Amino acid sequence: MSTRRRFLQTGLAASATLSAAASLSPRLFAAGQDTKKLGYALVGLGRLSTGQLAPALQKTEHAKLAAVVSGTPSKREEWRKKYDLGDHVYSYEEYDQLADDDAVDVIYIVLPNGLHAEYTIRGAETGKHVFCEKPMANTAEECRQMIAACEKAGVKLGIGYRCQFEPHHLRAIEAVRSGEIGELRGLGAGFGFTMPADADPDQKLHWRLDRSLAGGGPLMDVGIYALQFCRYITGREPVAVTAQTTLTDPVKFRQVEETLGWTMTFPSVLGDDLPEPLRAQVTASCVTTYNFSGFNQGEAFGPDGSVLLKPAYSYTGLKGFVKGEPMNLDTPDQFAVEIDAFSQSVKNGTPFKCPGEEGLRDLLAIEAIYKAAETGRRTEVAKV
Ligand code: NDP
């Protein structure tokens, strides 16, 4: 079997395609056995819950929408009717009552970043499993507390890194790791968008500009996709980083950065058998911004060519190329795939691909990047 086929079978089946995943877990599908769909409670009914997660939960094979938690009374009524939720509709004051709701197996945190830690920890204390959107929290210390709370409660914690289940990204990992472009030498990645002209950190809608709710600027929100790309392409952790910011609108961006460019140094991917001084290191160059749109790519370079994803991080229409040849892959509903993967790991008691430690590793790199931007110095990334 070719390396490519072997990778796609293991990589995609373990984490992504529903049919392949089903074939890996026959006990789920045996007559009369564990065919129950897990009930999910969405916490925070904003754009992601409304536009992506609720629709995804209508398609999932192992999960369904069972409850919602919202601070907005009109949304609670609308969702109760639209999704036939009956009594399974809660305000934030009623959040802890999820403990007594037998329809709920998993609490899915879709709140502003600064609320992830509190709601994950309280969620774990209800005894339900917790799935939390990216970035995991505002700080690495909060991530550690979330991991500890879930461990103490004996529940699973998953982080919403949809691209780790997406076929173009899996193919890119396989192409690089199997040496199709020779030994990896460089990475370039960036993701950003233009914040609306009238956005202000004092508006609830624009919490992404409010440091306490967002934890930082575009790095926390979308730059994290470029960071993830570099981490999972190499399968290694960054050793050290440099960074600098630029600012054109000091009023709008009075609390968080506007544009940030950073570099990371990774250990080599191939050549582990070589003596240390001969092992090539990998340099990554990344950009994130709230000041322009269209930067949405990840590329890996080796002596024999490159692997390019562009657009790389959108919900649909991803494109990928290996040495200029199109990948010709479909983009599934990334949210349905990751929710099903988490649900299967809960049902089977098997490890999930993106546990809390994966979110923690990103926050450790992010903290080093912010420190490097602030000090202007090369900064080492702390270890888990
Ligand atoms: P929104 O601003 O659209 O929604 C956030 C919701 O959180 C609000 O609508 C509100 O819901 C609730 N909320 C509770 N307290 C506050 C508060 N103090 N200020 C603002 N909102 C509050 O954000 P998104 O849906 O875009 O993002 C939510 C999370 O999902 C973030 O962590 C983000 O990083 C992540 N995300 C992940 C994506 C992915 O592709 N994986 C894509 C987009 C976002 P209610 O009125 O119901 O209380």
Side-chain angles (χ1 to χ4, degrees):
M1 188 190 298
S2 73
T3 313
R4 174 165 187 216
R5 277 186 52 213
R6 198 163 46 237
F7 178 87
L8 287 176
Q9 279 185 2
T10 51
L12 292 177
S15 55
T17 61
L18 306 181
S19 55
S23 70
L24 270 185
S25 309
R27 83 171 182 83
L28 281 180
F29 300 92
Q33 289 201 16
D34 186 9
T35 53
K36 174 182 178 268
K37 288 189 179 194
L38 298 185
Y40 275 64
L42 289 179
V43 185
L45 304 179
R47 283 161 290 195
L48 186 66
S49 288
T50 306
Q52 310 302 325
L53 302 182
L57 282 161
Q58 310 309 306
K59 299 177 200 161
T60 38
E61 205 169 327
H62 302 288
K64 63 180 180 191
L65 180 63
V68 292
V69 182
S70 170
T72 310
S74 58
K75 288 186 196 171
R76 293 201 291 268
E77 282 322 300
E78 192 189 319
W79 282 66
R80 188 201 305 278
K81 283 198 200 104
K82 183 166 181 186
Y83 293 106
D84 197 16
L85 295 171
D87 293 339
H88 308 280
V89 174
Y90 302 86
S91 65
Y92 295 119
E93 291 71 31
E94 295 163 335
Y95 180 64
D96 305 300
Q97 295 174 19
L98 285 174
D100 302 319
D101 191 334
D102 292 339
V104 175
D105 302 289
V106 178
I107 297 176
Y108 191 157
I109 312 296
V110 206
L111 293 164
N113 313 337
L115 301 172
H116 289 184
E118 178 193 340
Y119 280 83
T120 292
I121 291 166
R122 282 170 59 191
E125 286 166 359
T126 68
K128 310 290 179 175
H129 302 283
V130 182
F131 196 75
C132 179
E133 260 310 323
K134 47 56 61 178
M136 181 170 168
N138 278 6
T139 65
E141 177 50 32
E142 285 181 341
C143 295
R144 293 188 201 283
Q145 291 169 10
M146 294 157 80
I147 292 167
C150 290
E151 270 172 15
K152 187 174 170 204
V155 300
K156 261 193 195 301
L157 173 59
I159 308 301
Y161 288 126
R162 58 185 165 79
C163 293
Q164 292 211 27
F165 301 87
E166 201 285 327
H168 295 83
H169 289 258
L170 295 174
R171 170 73 184 111
I173 295 167
E174 176 224 19
V176 170
R177 303 256 194 101
S178 64
E180 287 179 52
I181 57 169
E183 186 171 24
L184 179 68
R185 294 190 179 163
L187 291 156
F191 196 20
F193 66 91
T194 312
M195 194 49 79
D198 59 351
D200 188 275
D202 289 341
Q203 300 159 335
K204 187 177 175 190
L205 184 64
H206 295 299
W207 60 264
R208 284 175 167 81
L209 298 175
D210 176 331
R211 176 164 292 281
S212 64
L213 285 173
L219 177 60
M220 292 291 281
D221 191 29
V222 285
I224 194 170
Y225 287 92
L227 167 62
Q228 275 270 302
F229 177 84
C230 297
R231 286 189 50 244
Y232 54 69
I233 286 287
T234 57
R236 304 293 166 97
E237 297 309 317
V239 176
V241 302
T242 64
Q244 54 187 327
T245 56
T246 52
L247 178 65
T248 64
D249 186 341
V251 176
K252 198 191 301 177
F253 298 102
R254 59 184 180 271
Q255 297 193 25
V256 302
E257 81 277 4
E258 179 181 315
T259 297
L260 190 148
W262 79 98
T263 69
M264 295 182 281
T265 307
F266 287 86
S268 69
V269 173
L270 303 177
D272 273 351
D273 49 336
L274 296 174
E276 185 88 41
L278 295 180
R279 283 185 215 157
Q281 290 197 330
V282 179
T283 297
S285 180
C286 303
V287 172
T288 187
T289 184
Y290 279 157
N291 193 32
F292 56 89
S293 297
F295 204 177
N296 179 352
Q297 69 190 68
E299 190 160 17
F301 302 89
D304 301 335
S306 80
V307 175
L308 171 66
L309 300 184
K310 185 180 178 180
Y313 315 110
S314 310
Y315 297 152
T316 57
L318 302 195
K319 289 199 169 48
F321 306 85
V322 178
K323 296 202 268 192
E325 291 297 319
M327 290 180 182
N328 292 324
L329 294 166
D330 291 331
T331 308
D333 183 321
Q334 299 172 53
F335 296 98
V337 173
E338 73 173 351
I339 291 169
D340 265 330
F342 185 67
S343 305
Q344 283 188 293
S345 88
V346 167
K347 285 179 169 187
N348 295 335
T350 48
F352 181 59
K353 193 178 189 183
C354 302
E357 288 75 9
E358 178 69 358
L360 169 60
R361 285 185 202 104
D362 273 352
L363 260 298
L364 290 170
I366 286 171
E367 288 184 346
I369 292 165
Y370 280 136
K371 189 169 170 202
E374 200 182 304
T375 60
R377 296 225 172 91
R378 177 184 183 276
T379 304
E380 294 202 355
V381 180
K383 303 220 177 335
V384 169

